Amino acid sequence: DVKVTQSSRYLVKRTGEKVFLECVQDMDHENMFWYRQDPGLGLRLIYFSYDVKMKEKGDIPEGYSVSREKKERFSLILESASTNQTSMYLCASSSTIGPLMNRLFFGSGTQLSVL
Amino acid sequence: DQQVKQNSPSLSVQEGRISILNCDYTNSMFDYFLWYKKYPAEGPTFLISISSIKDKNEDGRFTVFLNKSAKHLSLHIVPSQPGDSAVYFCAASPRWGKFQFGAGTQVVVTP
């Protein structure tokens, strides 16, 4: 079974803090993604990475950056947290080959509250 | 501009009856579609997929229908069970997997 692990289930941070959300997958997937989920808006793509050290902006990258130094790990960084970044953050991975190609596997999510 | 739309934010259905969830898309480059189910405080889990070369895919109680000319897909759950109460998201992508998601439909299955 594919496992995508997000380091924290719940986080509370202060406005202006730098926040790191970590995600690790154990299936050697090439692609990794960060989404945020907000009521009425569904899942919106923040950033994705299709290889180590490669990244592309998604639909809502403002205020975020990412890091992928190793294939299994994809980090989302909030440079200076703001209250409008309070959300559920979901990491996902997918493979580019095989019978499960392009199927997204999600972590359990991190509920981030910025006060 | 949302390219994938789920226009019904909620759906209530009786146990044992059919649930029909709808999804519309605008991008004609989309050719691969997924449905996910999500419980509160959990990540979405994969339900069923369909590619544009098909118009129907079945997996147990779940069937997805794709109408490419109308840019419309639907998920049928038959029969609906209490454990099906969750939020359902449809997602679409072109050939390589950068998926766009809809806003979700909250399904409540009542006894």
Side-chain angles (χ1 to χ4, degrees):
Chain A
D1 266 1
V2 175
K3 194 158 185 192
V4 180
T5 303
Q6 293 184 232
S7 54
S8 305
R9 293 297 300 271
Y10 301 95
L11 269 182
V12 180
K13 297 292 181 180
R14 297 276 180 200
T15 303
E17 278 192 77
K18 191 168 185 175
V19 182
F20 293 86
L21 302 183
E22 306 286 345
C23 175
V24 177
Q25 51 97 1
D26 67 356
M27 279 300 290
D28 204 37
H29 283 172
E30 297 81 10
N31 305 324
M32 295 189 76
F33 306 82
W34 276 105
Y35 287 88
R36 62 179 279 179
Q37 182 199 354
D38 300 289
L41 297 175
L43 277 67
R44 293 180 292 164
L45 182 63
I46 305 171
Y47 266 97
F48 67 102
S49 168
Y50 50 90
D51 202 350
V52 175
K53 296 192 188 292
M54 306 302 284
K55 60 186 178 186
E56 282 197 26
K57 293 179 181 178
D59 300 315
I60 50 164
E62 296 80 18
Y64 303 95
S65 62
V66 290
S67 171
R68 194 166 180 201
E69 297 296 318
K70 293 185 178 181
K71 192 174 185 181
E72 67 270 19
R73 187 179 297 269
F74 192 35
S75 303
L76 179 69
I77 303 148
L78 287 67
E79 298 290 342
S80 176
S82 63
T83 54
N84 63 12
Q85 292 178 310
T86 291
S87 186
M88 166 70 85
Y89 289 88
L90 292 159
C91 175
S93 70
S94 71
S95 175
T96 56
I97 56 172
L100 301 181
M101 181 179 71
N102 283 344
R103 185 182 299 181
L104 292 173
F105 292 86
F106 283 90
S108 298
T110 297
Q111 180 62 52
L112 173 67
S113 296
V114 182
L115 305 178
Chain B
D1 186 32
Q2 252 186 326
Q3 298 182 58
V4 178
K5 294 181 182 177
Q6 295 176 255
N7 291 319
S8 298
S10 64
L11 172 69
S12 182
V13 64
Q14 232 174 350
E15 183 177 358
R17 308 294 281 264
I18 183 171
S19 295
I20 300 177
L21 290 79
N22 294 302
C23 181
D24 296 293
Y25 61 97
T26 57
N27 190 337
S28 57
M29 298 299 290
F30 288 153
D31 68 356
Y32 188 58
F33 305 90
L34 305 174
W35 282 94
Y36 279 81
K37 174 179 176 178
K38 186 179 184 300
Y39 295 117
E42 292 184 15
T45 54
F46 172 80
L47 263 183
I48 194 167
S49 64
I50 190 166
S51 71
S52 59
I53 62 172
K54 290 184 163 187
D55 55 17
K56 177 182 173 181
N57 190 25
E58 255 180 287
D59 185 1
R61 296 186 297 114
F62 302 93
T63 303
V64 57
F65 296 91
L66 175 62
N67 182 333
K68 289 185 289 293
S69 60
K71 295 191 181 69
H72 177 83
L73 64 155
S74 61
L75 174 69
H76 292 206
I77 306 173
V78 185
S80 301
Q81 299 174 353
D84 296 332
S85 296
V87 178
Y88 291 77
F89 292 100
C90 74
S93 85
R95 185 155 300 272
W96 184 86
K98 184 180 164 185
F99 283 94
Q100 296 284 335
F101 281 78
T105 297
Q106 172 75 60
V107 172
V108 176
V109 180
T110 57

